[in-house]
Amino acid sequence: MSKTDCGCGCGGSPAFPAAFVRPRFFAGQLLTEDDLTLLTDYVAGKDRLHNRMVSGPGVVCGLEVGCDSCAGGTVYVHPGHALDCCGNDIVLSCKEKVDVQALVRELRVSSPGVDCGDPCDDDQRHYGLFVRYEESMADPVTPFATEEPCPGPGCVPSRVQEGFRFVVKCDTADDHRFNPATKLLAKIGDKDTYEHVRLLTQRLGHYLDALSVAGSASARTIAFDDADAVRYTDNLRLLRESGTDTPQPTVARQLTEYVRALAAAIARYDTYDTAGQEQLRGRHGLDEIDTTAREVLGAACDRLAGTDPEAVWPEPAHRSVALAVVSEAKNRIATRDPAAALELRLLAQGTPLGNVLEAEFRSDVVRIREWLLGRLDRVSGVADCRLHDEVRGVAVPQPLPVPEPDPAQRLALAELGLLTTAAGKLTTFVRRFVTDAACSTLNPPCASCDDNDVLLAHLELDGCDVVRVCSATREQVLPGGSAYGEWLPKLYQLRHFAEQLCCRPTPVYRPPAVPESGPVPRPYVPELFEPWRNHGPLEQMWNLLVTPAPGETVPKPVREQVYTVPAEVTDSLQELNALRGQVSDLVSTVEALRGQLDSARQQVSQVREELPDRLSDRLSDLENAPAPDAQQEQEEEPEPEPEQKPPARRGRSSSSRTGGAARKPRSGESS
């Protein structure tokens, strides 16, 4: 291993050497310069590797930079020890005086095009003072005669002198630290996109058990117990006391929760048969449930229908649920709808589902699946080996355009089952993927080495004079390396969460069990309108990673090729389906008009063909008809003036009387 082969990309070398080779000595061996050089290279290479990976680059101790007592463009650097990113030791044994002005001029000469400004103008300039590892050949000696055919002339250096030199650069030094969220977001992708996907999975998670029970017990009774009686009584009282005016946004949110709770209690009551309802009325005092309670519920729904949904529910995911609460409570409970069995059992659990929200759920599972496949196709190093194939194998319902609210539409049992199965699998797959990404952050990547200069201080110049020196933000060598020092405050907490998440059995969604007989005991889904935040180990691990601590660097931005996001795919499918419907209607209308036009053309052609024959026959009949009063008409008519010609019609009448009428032959007849 050569002296410049530091194994971290320095001097064009690979990131890691293929193997370390050390010499092996034995009795009678002829030692050459290659054997001894290999020994020194092996020891130096191992030292550099340990310095680079275990300690990392930065200042170990000392190397303080201070102002010169004499005014001017010089500073003093005190003795100390530093490691560069290639693992080289930089040792300054004596205090050194550094001419910053000369170094700035050298920068301007050696780096044309670097826009740092004139170092000796009136504006203040900022630079970074660095120390750079250097080697030089020393102690030349004349070699003895060898058997080489062409021995090298003159003297050959016998020592490698390790040293350093000071340089200045524009104050844009890269930070070697690596924020753990950088690796997490490299797998997760855009944080806002994932937050939206997580919101959709949380909404589906609130509905999953209820959807499963409604599908498996679509004709069963949902148990009404003492807690439901208390919920019925309390929310009926609250709705009565809420007034009759259109509520403000804050009041409307509370009123929607009251409506949901009261509708759930009444829906449970409606799942019982007549005998069961009579027992509930006697046991819990539900005498007003079929009269006053439904009227109060309907009036509250009408008041909520008059509010602005966007002002009341800024978050679209909550808004859709709130609109479903109002519409389903109005159409299924305030006005009883015995035919809506699935909708009634979803209402009984506090999770109403109308035709609009069902269409959104269809789009949500498609969007979640496309997001997962997009991430799994783009990232590498996924430890959950079967996840990609399992996601691809999920059958999702066909997405539909978001329709207008229609209480006449009913949920189909088969479609509900497909939606429930897809939602149960995909919400679990999202959790598996994020768990895999979070656990991978505990394995920090190896740092690259694009620049092996070690920052000593930030310098501020006024003209040619150094006016301020700052060494507080330079890198320090930390246990485990300064590149991963930001892991240290979080490491033990991350390990604690990793013990609960990583290397555990693969999670699987299991629907709630339904008893074979009797009412189905189902809890009322709480906090449906509260912020959907989970408090499990995965969520705590995520928040710990992405929430920056004081002084922590921000994660590096994710740079990747732009793909069509699942939201755009789903919206395009919905728009395409809507356009297909419109095109189909237009095609039907055009076909109908085309048929009417063809019929009209046939009638016109037939009339055009028959009209000359009919007119000719009619004229012939009129010409050949007898005229008994013709003579009398002739006598009564006055004699025409000599210059006046007789009317054409009289001439024809006269001809008809003589029997010599000549009819013009029609087309196809002989004259």
Side-chain angles (χ1 to χ4, degrees), residues 112 149 164 206 299 301 370 389 411 423 453 649:
F164 58 87
H206 281 79
C301 292
E370 294 301 323
D389 293 339
L411 295 174
D453 296 335
R649 190 173 60 84

Side-chain angles (χ1 to χ4, degrees), residues 430-449:
V430 170
R431 188 174 185 84
R432 286 170 55 181
F433 175 69
V434 178
T435 299
D436 180 82
C439 293
S440 68
T441 61
L442 298 179
N443 302 312
C446 291
S448 61
C449 184

Side-chain angles (χ1 to χ4, degrees), residues 485-521:
E486 294 187 358
W487 258 275
L488 296 180
K490 301 178 178 181
L491 182 60
Y492 295 105
Q493 298 181 64
L494 291 173
R495 291 287 185 188
H496 171 70
F497 295 136
E499 291 176 357
Q500 305 176 52
L501 289 173
C502 309
C503 305
R504 294 288 182 176
T506 303
V508 178
Y509 171 71
R510 302 187 185 280
V514 176
E516 297 181 358
S517 61
V520 179

